[in-house]
Amino acid sequence: MIQWIKNNTVLFLIITTLIMLFVNLGVLQTNIMEARNIISAREMVDQGNWIFTTLNGLPRYEKPPLPTWITAVFGSIFGFENIFWLRIPVVLITLLLVYFFYKIASQLNLSKQQVVNSSLILITSFYVFFAGRDNNWDMYTHSFMLVSIFFLIKEFQSIKFNFLNFTAAFFFLGCSIMSKGPVSLYALFLPFLLAYFFTYTKKIKRNISVTLLTLIVGCIIGFTWILYVRYFDADHFIAASKKEINSWQNHNTRPFYYYWSFFTQSGLWTIPSLVSLIYPYLKNKVSNKKAYKFTWLWTMFSVVLLSLIPEKKSRYLLPVLIPLALNIGFYIEYLRLEFKNLNNKTEKIITNIIFGLYSVIAFVISIGVFIYTKSEFTNFAIWSIPFALISIYLGIIIVKGLKDKSFDYLFYPSILLMCTFVIFGFPLSKVTFSEQLYVSTSSIKELEKKYNITTYETDGFVPEIVLDYGKPIPVLSENGKIYLPKTNQFGLLANKNDSAFIVENLNKYSIKKIGEVNLNHSLKEQKNYNDRIQKDYFLVQLK
């Protein structure tokens, strides 16, 4: 098998990418960000809110609409019930990312093997393939920006001005802004420019001019929707803008150094990524020093700029992992060429730790999978048995590679271990599932018919519940204003956090619990139980 991979590395990259993105795509539960995107897409199709986008029937201008437009197209074709088809758009956008990452690596005059290996590192990096299976805004904005960067690099390297390169660069830059505002412009594009101009100084005046022109035209395209909505629905847009600015400044605020464990987000490549960032160590061991300097600076500028923003979340590190994969590729290429001849004791220890750890992980999986599934072994044997057997096999190959000093027998089995995890490991996430507490929104639809009532929520609606409900659930409070129904009775979804609202605004009503919604597939004592997606259902009647 390893010999076949060596002879068909590009095909192996394609197969790996398809496995990491498509296989078991609908297995993992949707999250709040993905639910928001899908709800907005559904309301585009159902209610025609393509420009003035909504979430649960309310104006939603915090995020530009391009990813939601794309999702809406797929939803209108395949429906909004099957999460697999609703995630296909982000999978296709991630394929775009991998393809143009490959093209950018090729533009840097790297060997074909290094280009392929760097691309394999990218798609098997923990947060990259997870973001590529989660249909929210992040992957869209950074994928489109990377396409823009590729065409800008082509234009930088061309002898004469090329209108097609320029057009593609500003168009995809505009698409990136239309996906999540200036986020990728700041976190991916600006670090790229700084790194490129620090490294490649030829034709710098011309390249700066091209960059400025690209930025101007791209921003005109990208900010068109924002300006349009700002003009025609100013009140809601300003409220959304203030909410976003407040989040940047006050929500999830972390210290400056919070992101400095960023290399751990690459998952399998944590230790190689750390080694690749030791610039004094690696700079004299790579074949293309300028390219290495460029990817190192691109990575570090991205981390520093993100660290300046008060609001910090681990998923915001996605743009860092793109140049980081290129950077890791230099270390992997050095090992590929020199592994048999390593004489430095420290280097030997580090490589033995890296790949020895991978073999240990493989063997632990082969045992741990049976411990993990012991209570449900019969139901999950179809996944756990091959997962264990393949893991043992790959662990043995890695040990053999260490013994024979064969780098190919270390690197490719590590990639295959990640593929095995996606194919056989993802379905095992359902081992902890319990339907004991699960109550879908279909239960409240039955109560609506029984009592002839309409369902409302307070101002704190839950996107996952709205998504499951299938249509907007009106709220009683918006922007501090109370909107009580004019009927004598109605249904209300609420939880303990809404008690103050109920006491203050519904004192003229009698309130009786008649049901609940609980979208948890876990028991309360399990760590993945989420109290947020559980609400009681009350019959509210005028006294």
Side-chain angles (χ1 to χ4, degrees):
M1 177 184 286
I2 303 301
Q3 190 58 47
W4 180 88
I5 293 173
K6 288 172 62 178
N7 297 332
N8 301 273
T9 52
V10 175
L11 180 58
F12 178 64
L13 170 61
I14 294 170
I15 294 171
T16 299
T17 303
L18 295 177
I19 289 173
M20 297 304 294
L21 297 177
F22 280 98
V23 176
N24 293 318
L25 183 58
V27 168
L28 300 183
Q29 287 181 274
T30 190
N31 56 47
I32 187 171
M33 295 299 293
E34 184 174 53
R36 285 171 178 166
N37 189 32
I38 295 172
I39 292 168
S40 293
R42 185 174 67 194
E43 292 177 11
M44 283 180 176
V45 175
D46 292 346
Q47 302 173 24
N49 300 329
W50 292 83
I51 301 298
F52 299 100
T53 51
T54 59
L55 176 65
N56 194 37
L58 303 172
R60 167 74 176 175
Y61 301 147
E62 283 85 350
K63 301 289 189 297
L66 182 54
T68 314
W69 287 343
I70 298 170
T71 304
V73 171
F74 275 77
S76 64
I77 297 171
F78 300 106
F80 287 94
E81 292 76 35
N82 191 320
I83 194 67
F84 175 89
W85 288 107
L86 293 173
R87 286 172 174 165
I88 290 295
V90 75
V91 167
L92 297 178
I93 292 298
T94 309
L95 290 174
L96 192 75
L97 176 84
V98 175
Y99 176 75
F100 280 95
F101 177 92
Y102 182 96
K103 298 286 285 183
I104 286 175
S106 300
Q107 288 292 119
L108 297 177
N109 295 320
L110 307 177
S111 69
K112 181 182 176 181
Q113 193 63 57
Q114 184 174 346
V115 170
V116 172
N117 289 346
S118 298
S119 302
L120 285 167
I121 291 166
L122 176 75
I123 195 53
T124 53
S125 291
F126 173 74
Y127 200 75
V128 173
F129 73 82
F130 262 99
R133 302 165 67 94
D134 180 10
N135 196 359
N136 67 60
W137 293 264
D138 292 336
M139 186 57 75
Y140 291 86
T141 189
H142 300 308
S143 292
F144 287 134
M145 188 59 77
L146 195 70
V147 180
S148 175
I149 287 170
F150 165 72
F151 284 105
L152 201 58
I153 290 175
K154 281 197 72 176
E155 180 57 31
F156 288 165
Q157 294 178 349
S158 64
I159 298 173
K160 295 181 180 180
F161 179 78
N162 186 301
F163 184 74
L164 289 178
N165 290 338
F166 168 67
T167 303
F170 74 66
F171 174 77
F172 283 102
L173 188 145
C175 288
S176 175
I177 296 172
M178 280 285 283
S179 297
K180 204 180 178 183
V183 168
S184 195
L185 202 61
Y186 177 80
L188 188 64
F189 189 79
L190 179 57
F192 154 75
L193 288 180
L194 292 172
Y196 195 91
F197 291 142
F198 265 107
T199 308
Y200 302 100
T201 55
K202 288 184 179 180
K203 302 186 295 183
I204 192 165
K205 289 184 178 179
R206 171 188 177 274
N207 291 344
I208 288 175
S209 299
V210 170
T211 301
L212 290 174
L213 194 58
T214 300
L215 276 169
I216 292 169
V217 182
C219 286
I220 290 172
I221 294 172
F223 287 104
T224 300
W225 174 84
I226 295 172
L227 295 172
Y228 186 87
V229 173
R230 168 67 178 82
Y231 183 80
F232 287 101
D233 194 3
D235 291 343
H236 285 115
F237 180 84
I238 291 171
S241 300
K242 287 180 178 178
K243 184 178 177 182
E244 282 291 281
I245 293 170
N246 182 59
S247 294
W248 295 342
Q249 294 176 343
N250 302 310
H251 291 184
N252 296 297
T253 55
R254 301 286 191 273
F256 177 82
Y257 56 81
Y258 179 78
Y259 282 141
W260 290 88
S261 60
F262 66 93
F263 49 87
T264 61
Q265 292 297 318
S266 59
L268 182 72
W269 310 109
T270 295
I271 300 176
S273 68
L274 183 58
V275 176
S276 75
L277 291 167
I278 306 174
Y279 186 78
Y281 161 71
L282 201 57
K283 68 175 182 177
N284 295 320
K285 299 179 185 298
V286 299
S287 57
N288 190 325
K289 292 182 181 180
K290 270 199 170 185
Y292 173 62
K293 178 184 176 183
F294 164 63
T295 62
W296 188 87
L297 286 173
W298 189 359
T299 304
M300 298 310 295
F301 279 133
S302 185
V303 175
V304 170
L305 289 174
L306 283 171
S307 297
L308 296 175
I309 305 298
E311 184 187 25
K312 295 178 177 67
K313 296 179 183 178
S314 58
R315 64 185 178 86
Y316 293 170
L317 283 171
L318 177 59
V320 179
L321 298 181
I322 298 169
L324 180 60
L326 283 169
N327 207 65
I328 298 169
F330 283 97
Y331 178 55
I332 295 299
E333 179 69 2
Y334 167 67
L335 291 182
R336 185 180 73 86
L337 297 175
E338 302 295 335
F339 188 64
K340 283 185 179 292
N341 304 314
L342 288 179
N343 294 318
N344 185 285
K345 186 177 180 180
T346 303
E347 288 185 323
K348 286 181 179 180
I349 292 172
I350 291 172
T351 53
N352 286 336
I353 288 174
I354 292 170
F355 296 105
L357 181 61
Y358 295 166
S359 67
V360 169
I361 291 171
F363 293 133
V364 168
I365 287 173
S366 64
I367 299 170
V369 69
F370 293 113
I371 298 173
Y372 181 68
T373 61
K374 63 180 180 179
S375 60
E376 296 283 344
F377 179 74
T378 304
N379 296 329
F380 290 91
I382 191 174
W383 306 110
S384 56
I385 291 174
F387 194 15
L389 293 176
I390 295 172
S391 296
I392 289 175
Y393 174 68
L394 294 174
I396 292 171
I397 292 178
I398 293 173
V399 170
K400 185 177 183 299
L402 283 170
K403 182 181 177 181
D404 298 342
K405 293 188 175 182
S406 173
F407 183 76
D408 292 329
Y409 279 75
L410 300 175
F411 181 72
Y412 295 123
S414 303
I415 300 292
L416 290 171
L417 189 62
M418 288 300 300
C419 294
T420 305
F421 171 71
V422 172
I423 296 170
F424 299 105
F426 273 29
L428 296 182
S429 64
K430 292 187 176 181
V431 169
T432 58
F433 276 22
S434 171
E435 302 306 312
Q436 188 174 331
L437 299 178
Y438 182 81
V439 183
S440 76
T441 55
S442 61
S443 63
I444 66 172
K445 290 179 180 179
E446 293 174 2
L447 292 169
E448 287 173 339
K449 292 179 182 179
K450 179 179 178 180
Y451 291 96
N452 191 27
I453 55 177
T454 299
T455 297
Y456 292 82
E457 287 197 76
T458 61
D459 59 344
F461 67 87
V462 178
E464 293 94 326
I465 292 178
V466 175
L467 179 62
D468 188 68
Y469 189 68
K471 61 181 180 180
I473 302 176
V475 296
L476 299 182
S477 174
E478 182 188 356
N479 295 329
K481 296 181 180 179
I482 307 301
Y483 301 92
L484 296 180
K486 296 181 179 179
T487 56
N488 290 332
Q489 62 179 22
F490 58 92
L492 179 66
L493 279 168
N495 56 28
K496 59 184 179 182
N497 296 325
D498 299 315
S499 57
F501 176 91
I502 292 172
V503 170
E504 185 176 342
N505 299 289
L506 301 179
N507 50 14
K508 295 181 180 180
Y509 295 83
S510 64
I511 300 174
K512 175 185 175 183
K513 181 181 175 180
I514 57 174
E516 70 171 327
V517 171
N518 193 332
L519 301 184
N520 279 287
H521 291 283
S522 305
L523 299 175
K524 283 191 175 182
E525 59 269 20
Q526 293 175 317
K527 64 179 182 179
N528 49 346
Y529 180 87
N530 187 352
D531 194 54
R532 187 178 56 80
I533 56 176
Q534 182 275 329
K535 286 201 172 189
D536 293 324
Y537 191 61
F538 298 94
L539 176 63
V540 183
Q541 295 176 305
L542 196 62
K543 293 178 181 178

